[in-house]
Amino acid sequence: MITPSQTVGPFYGYALPFARGGEIAPAGDPRTITLHGVVRDGAGAPIPDALLEFWQAAPDGSLGGAPGSMRRDPVDGAVIGRDGVEFTGFGRVPTDADGHYAVRTLPPPGGAPYVSVAVFARGLTHHLYTRAYLPGCAEDVLLASLPEERRGTLVAREERERVYRFDIRLQGDEGEETVFLEFR
Amino acid sequence: MTETETKTETETQLPGLPHQRAIDTEMAAYEPDGTAHPRRDYAPYRSTLLRHPRQPLLAVKDDPDAVELTGPVFGPTDVTDLDADLTRQHQGEPLGERITVTGRILDREGRPVRDQLVEIWQANASGRYAHQRDQHPAPLDPNFTGVGRCLTDAEGGYRFTTVKPGAYPWRNHVNAWRPAHIHFSLFGSAFTQRLVTQMYFPGDPLFPYDPILQSVTDARARERLVAAYEHGLSKPEFALGYRWDVVLDGPAATWTEGEGEQS
Ligand SMILES: [Fe+2]
């Protein structure tokens, strides 16, 4: 008797995004990587009102996360963001007017070499899950189960040192549309 | 924006839109598909057309190491006490019918979701969002933003004080109106249990005309999106009370409950 999903709609903007929501890596950590890309619809047009959430293991492999992603100022209640020490494992960013997003995080560890991504948008009645794998995980069971042309949609491309490109296509032909996951 | 400008804009945008009757006919053609969640390819809600996947989703099961079986956590630094009262976030009090909304968050095994983040957002009593892209010519309320947060308690309980949101028009089709609703964002103990949804108010005459609510094709599942008015929750001379419980879908890592067994 589960509760059904409903679309996030167009007006979440003053409620869900929070200051430094994409700064998942503790400030100044030299291991920090940038993961960025564009979210597109079935016509290839950028989606300017999508919301992305990110969840991943810490570099030591732990999956416990930590509170404090939305740390608040006790004086005026404003979101002042993470304390720069804890790795909460969680990020949230809206896409920009050109459909682009970016997060800065720590590389996921070898045992769980991907960042889990949830996609919300107006026109999407139920959010979608996908995974951004860093290059070089060919032995991963889920990746290995996919035909070559679909596998590529889950692997971020190294643009330059520590900067990875991960585009998301909500709808398209096989090999073009991002592989989305369903957990049972 | 003046009233004249609004009308002109509406008139120029409406010619391409279908009428309510056409949308009603389309909605009537959908049969329940056996799941409680809405269809992602639900054409009566026009924005779904280019935003639903056409390829089948890849099922992930029997992978105890999947990262998604765990999820983000939140704590006392992530919320303030005032966040759960949307009527006290400004200097004055908002206009509208003051209400409290309370309930419990459970997982699909019926276990309470404890110490977890609940976020809400809504239009004001006139049906207007504090968002610059909301062009509905209804008044903004300087004493109402319409955003709330809280952490669930040990029983999975949450509670908000707010005002009842108004219905509002949108441009899915001619004369399209959203029934009054509060948007909810919920986390479970696993990222797989993440839920964003909308809570409706009992007896709203707009239900049958709304393709967003009707994207849930199972009638009993739609009923679970509607809060119950509960007189015992109403506070004399202060607020009307509504109860709405939420059951999250999706598997979670068994070790989070400390049972020491694998399912
Ligand atoms: Fe809404």
Side-chain angles (χ1 to χ4, degrees):
Chain A
M1 301 300 271
I2 59 107
T3 305
S5 168
Q6 292 270 269
T7 181
V8 74
F11 298 133
Y12 60 81
Y14 58 101
L16 298 182
F18 56 92
R20 290 187 278 291
E23 306 297 322
I24 308 170
D29 192 308
R31 297 168 295 178
T32 300
I33 60 167
T34 298
L35 185 68
H36 77 116
V38 172
V39 183
R40 294 180 188 280
D41 70 12
I47 296 183
D49 51 6
L51 181 78
L52 303 182
E53 288 186 350
F54 303 83
W55 167 244
Q56 66 168 96
D60 67 0
S62 80
L63 281 162
S69 297
M70 305 182 186
R71 191 173 59 110
R72 309 292 289 284
D73 183 334
V75 177
D76 64 3
V79 178
I80 48 181
R82 304 159 209 273
D83 65 7
V85 180
E86 293 287 348
F87 182 76
T88 71
F90 174 69
R92 176 191 277 170
V93 289
T95 51
D96 293 329
D98 58 359
H100 183 259
Y101 76 92
V103 296
R104 273 158 288 275
T105 188
L106 299 179
Y114 53 89
V115 179
S116 180
V117 184
V119 185
F120 303 84
R122 175 179 64 84
L124 187 56
T125 60
H126 188 187
H127 64 276
L128 289 164
Y129 293 104
T130 186
R131 286 176 177 176
Y133 283 83
L134 296 191
C137 311
E139 72 286 359
D140 180 86
V141 179
L142 185 138
L143 285 183
S145 74
L146 287 165
E148 180 95 40
E149 74 271 19
R150 298 214 72 203
R151 190 184 309 154
T153 70
L154 296 185
V155 183
R157 179 168 50 83
E158 186 169 9
E159 284 187 326
R160 55 183 194 274
E161 203 185 349
R162 303 202 161 272
V163 177
Y164 296 90
R165 174 87 183 198
F166 184 71
D167 292 333
I168 296 172
R169 178 82 180 237
L170 289 192
Q171 185 185 81
D173 297 332
E174 215 177 337
E176 187 179 48
E177 183 177 298
T178 298
V179 171
F180 295 106
L181 309 177
E182 177 177 50
F183 299 91
R184 294 184 179 160
Chain B
M1 179 183 299
T2 70
E3 199 182 327
T4 323
E5 278 166 353
T6 305
K7 274 184 183 154
T8 308
E9 191 188 347
T10 306
E11 282 159 8
T12 54
Q13 295 221 2
L14 291 185
L17 295 181
H19 282 258
Q20 179 77 51
R21 245 187 334 265
I23 295 292
D24 291 346
T25 306
E26 286 183 34
M27 291 193 292
Y30 284 85
E31 300 278 346
D33 64 355
T35 76
H37 285 300
R39 299 177 61 114
R40 291 190 180 89
D41 58 337
Y42 190 71
Y45 174 22
R46 290 294 191 255
S47 300
T48 65
L49 291 175
L50 290 170
R51 294 185 171 195
H52 71 269
R54 282 200 291 258
Q55 313 299 325
L57 304 190
L58 179 63
V60 181
K61 47 187 175 184
D62 308 323
D63 177 8
D65 297 324
V67 164
E68 295 87 352
L69 295 178
T70 61
V73 295
F74 300 90
T77 63
D78 293 302
V79 293
T80 69
D81 290 343
L82 273 179
D83 291 347
D85 188 342
L86 288 72
T87 68
R88 290 174 59 206
Q89 296 171 353
H90 298 272
Q91 295 221 325
E93 288 208 77
L95 296 171
E97 184 180 317
R98 195 185 295 112
I99 61 172
T100 58
V101 180
T102 186
R104 293 176 76 205
I105 314 299
L106 306 172
D107 69 14
R108 66 187 188 187
E109 324 296 339
R111 295 176 295 207
V113 175
R114 302 186 177 100
D115 302 321
Q116 195 45 293
L117 183 68
V118 179
E119 298 163 284
I120 65 169
W121 67 104
Q122 62 168 92
N124 68 23
S126 305
R128 178 85 184 263
Y129 284 93
H131 190 296
Q132 66 174 11
R133 283 188 53 200
D134 184 356
Q135 295 294 305
H136 175 34
L140 285 167
D141 185 338
N143 292 315
F144 192 73
T145 306
V147 178
R149 294 189 193 97
C150 72
L151 294 179
T152 55
D153 62 23
E155 278 77 51
Y158 72 88
R159 174 185 295 271
F160 291 102
T161 302
T162 182
V163 296
K164 190 175 179 189
Y168 61 84
W170 60 310
R171 291 184 181 163
N172 187 71
H173 54 276
V174 177
N175 212 14
W177 290 84
R178 295 298 328 281
H181 59 275
I182 298 178
H183 295 266
F184 271 73
S185 162
L186 305 137
F187 291 83
S189 59
F191 204 42
T192 61
Q193 298 174 346
R194 191 79 180 83
L195 180 68
V196 167
T197 188
Q198 303 180 25
M199 185 207 92
Y200 299 86
F201 291 85
D204 195 317
L206 292 169
F207 288 161
Y209 305 107
D210 178 32
I212 290 184
L213 176 58
Q214 300 296 328
S215 68
V216 176
T217 52
D218 182 279
R220 282 177 310 169
R222 281 198 301 276
E223 283 168 20
R224 297 200 291 275
L225 292 174
V226 183
Y229 171 70
E230 196 170 307
H231 200 61
L233 287 175
S234 292
K235 296 183 185 172
E237 330 236 337
F238 186 72
L240 295 177
Y242 290 88
R243 184 179 299 283
W244 189 55
D245 295 331
V246 176
V247 179
L248 303 178
D249 200 5
T254 50
W255 57 262
T256 56
E257 288 294 305
E259 291 164 348
E261 58 183 75
Q262 298 289 316
S263 58

